[in-house]
Amino acid sequence: MSIIFNNIEENYKGNIPFVAYRKPKSDLVSAFFMKNDNLYFTSRFTENGFVFAPFNSDEKVILFPKKNADFTTEKLVLVDEFIENNDFINIKSSDKQNHLHLIENALDIINKNELKKVVISRKEEVQIANFDVLTTFKKLLQMYQNAFVYVWFHPKVGLWFGATPETLLQLSNQKFKTMSLAGTQLYVKNAKVVWKNKELEEQQLVTDFIENQLIPIASNLQINKTETIKAGELLHLRTKVEGVLNKNSSLHKLIRGLHPTPAVCGLPRDTAKSFINLNENYKRTYYTGFLGEISDTISELYVNLRCMSIADKKATIYVGGGITQESTPKKEWEETVSKSKTMKRIL
């Protein structure tokens, strides 16, 4: 058995914090196994370690400092064959009606020109029997090879899993890469991919926001051509962006400029954030936050999408979608149902 897989089981049973993860299209798994159960935080992002940040940027960012951890990387070898779950539990009609009502409220605000876009989300609770932390992580690794796949645990915070398709940023010395990711449709084998105005407009809003946020802190900005990418059984529009941070800029300034992007929040950002905090019927906590490695040379952070938290024999799955003037409530609801299957398949 691999050292990382063995340590995941031991740390989880022993209530000791850890994170294990695999980057997109990689065959390496890395892990931080903490030496105690202290809660460490960062606000300046100048340390070496692994961060786990909430959606609300005024809340504390958890840090697993490298100096207080055993850090391990090893080649991934998966020999288990897993059968994916396609027996999806019916969603309560009240949950559906609440979400449709929330979308309609968002459209009212957009039609009054107070918002251009807002990302509306919901949580879905699924009862689980015979849950096993390692098996769940292995299933994610096997099924979502194009995603950043992780398991994160702290006894004072909780247990989280995810398979996110979205990079927040990659920073090497002063050179950075980021992306705008928006628009969703189901993948259909051999079908020609056609994107409608709603998705193209939504994608352009995110790209424009990122460009405007980067202009004051970076140079040599390069916006690549928009492309279609596959994440599990879904397709998204992605535009890669890269550049060089100015000498007086920092990882902290870059994060605060980008997070939360309109792909998880909306535009204008502060108005959208207020709408989300006032109208969503739950607290997002770490969903649509970010996570990943930080150091004084290379940092790599991902947006916490397609994720779930586990507690008391219950999985809480988090899903959402971007609402613009072109949105229709029924279609937006169906998009969240499709996204929820990313996690349901491995339960």
Side-chain angles (χ1 to χ4, degrees):
M1 190 181 196
S2 86
I3 293 167
I4 287 177
F5 289 167
N6 191 51
N7 286 356
I8 286 171
E9 290 192 320
E10 284 188 11
N11 276 44
Y12 186 60
K13 282 174 189 165
N15 263 349
I16 305 294
F18 69 89
V19 62
Y21 54 96
R22 187 211 59 212
K23 294 174 186 176
K25 297 179 182 175
S26 172
D27 61 356
L28 297 176
V29 178
S30 299
F32 288 77
F33 295 104
M34 302 308 293
K35 295 173 182 175
N36 57 56
D37 68 351
N38 294 348
L39 261 176
Y40 301 97
F41 301 99
T42 181
S43 58
R44 305 304 299 175
F45 303 99
T46 53
E47 302 87 347
N48 284 10
F50 192 98
V51 292
F52 196 62
F55 166 69
N56 278 324
S57 46
D58 47 2
E59 293 176 11
K60 287 182 173 178
V61 175
I62 298 172
L63 172 72
F64 284 176
K66 204 166 189 176
K67 64 183 181 183
N68 300 109
D70 289 322
F71 176 74
T72 310
T73 296
E74 63 184 26
K75 197 171 171 93
L76 174 65
V77 180
L78 282 175
V79 290
D80 306 302
E81 285 294 325
F82 298 110
I83 299 167
E84 66 179 78
N85 170 40
N86 286 305
D87 181 20
F88 301 126
I89 298 139
N90 288 332
I91 300 158
K92 287 188 289 188
S93 61
S94 59
D95 287 355
K96 181 177 179 179
Q97 290 312 312
N98 288 342
H99 195 70
L100 290 171
H101 182 62
L102 188 52
I103 295 166
E104 283 158 6
N105 284 352
L107 283 167
D108 286 345
I109 301 288
I110 289 166
N111 288 328
K112 288 175 187 170
N113 293 322
E114 291 175 38
L115 281 169
K116 285 185 183 176
K117 173 188 174 176
V118 64
V119 175
I120 296 302
S121 73
R122 63 183 178 88
K123 67 176 186 177
E124 200 175 314
E125 293 178 344
V126 179
Q127 296 298 321
I128 46 175
N130 308 318
F131 169 76
D132 182 80
V133 66
L134 186 57
T135 303
T136 304
F137 183 48
K138 284 180 175 178
K139 283 182 181 178
L140 279 175
L141 289 169
Q142 187 180 70
M143 287 189 195
Y144 302 113
Q145 291 172 16
N146 293 340
F148 177 83
V149 170
Y150 77 89
V151 53
W152 185 98
F153 173 68
H154 197 299
K156 295 170 184 173
V157 179
L159 174 66
W160 284 73
F161 292 88
T164 176
E166 184 169 356
T167 304
L168 179 66
L169 65 90
Q170 295 170 322
L171 179 66
S172 178
N173 298 312
Q174 292 297 99
K175 290 182 179 177
F176 68 83
K177 292 178 182 177
T178 183
M179 66 170 67
S180 67
L181 190 84
T184 301
Q185 62 175 279
L186 277 171
Y187 168 72
V188 180
K189 197 174 181 180
N190 299 327
K192 188 184 175 187
V193 179
V194 177
W195 292 100
K196 293 182 179 168
N197 270 348
K198 187 261 173 184
E199 285 83 12
L200 293 167
E201 181 200 351
E202 188 185 346
Q203 169 68 9
Q204 195 59 49
L205 285 173
V206 181
T207 305
D208 291 346
F209 167 86
I210 289 173
E211 183 178 8
N212 290 333
Q213 292 295 98
L214 292 173
I215 284 169
I217 61 170
S219 59
N220 296 357
L221 271 186
Q222 187 179 323
I223 313 243
N224 293 338
K225 196 177 170 186
T226 300
E227 59 191 343
T228 299
I229 62 151
K230 184 171 179 277
E233 295 304 308
L234 300 175
L235 298 173
H236 301 291
L237 286 164
R238 178 177 73 184
T239 307
K240 291 181 179 178
V241 180
E242 51 191 274
V244 180
L245 273 187
N246 297 339
K247 283 182 181 171
N248 61 348
S249 294
S250 61
L251 174 61
H252 176 257
K253 282 187 179 176
L254 185 57
I255 289 169
R256 290 299 168 231
L258 292 174
H259 175 74
T261 73
V264 298
C265 183
L267 275 173
R269 180 156 75 176
D270 290 343
T271 313
K273 202 171 169 185
S274 296
F275 181 89
I276 288 163
N277 288 333
L278 284 169
N279 292 280
E280 281 187 349
N281 299 316
Y282 79 106
K283 198 170 183 301
R284 288 187 182 188
T285 65
Y286 297 95
Y287 166 61
T288 63
F290 61 87
L291 70 163
E293 304 163 339
I294 60 168
S295 78
D296 47 11
T297 52
I298 296 173
S299 299
E300 219 166 302
L301 302 175
Y302 295 84
V303 182
N304 198 16
L305 302 174
R306 312 295 138 78
C307 59
M308 66 179 175
S309 57
I310 306 283
D312 305 321
K313 296 186 177 177
K314 184 171 66 185
T316 302
I317 296 168
Y318 304 87
V319 284
I323 310 302
T324 66
Q325 206 162 18
E326 302 273 332
S327 294
T328 56
K330 183 174 179 285
K331 191 167 181 292
E332 296 298 336
W333 164 257
E334 287 165 356
E335 183 179 310
T336 68
V337 173
S338 298
K339 286 174 176 175
S340 71
K341 291 176 183 176
T342 300
M343 286 295 127
K344 286 179 179 175
R345 278 192 184 94
I346 57 106
L347 289 173

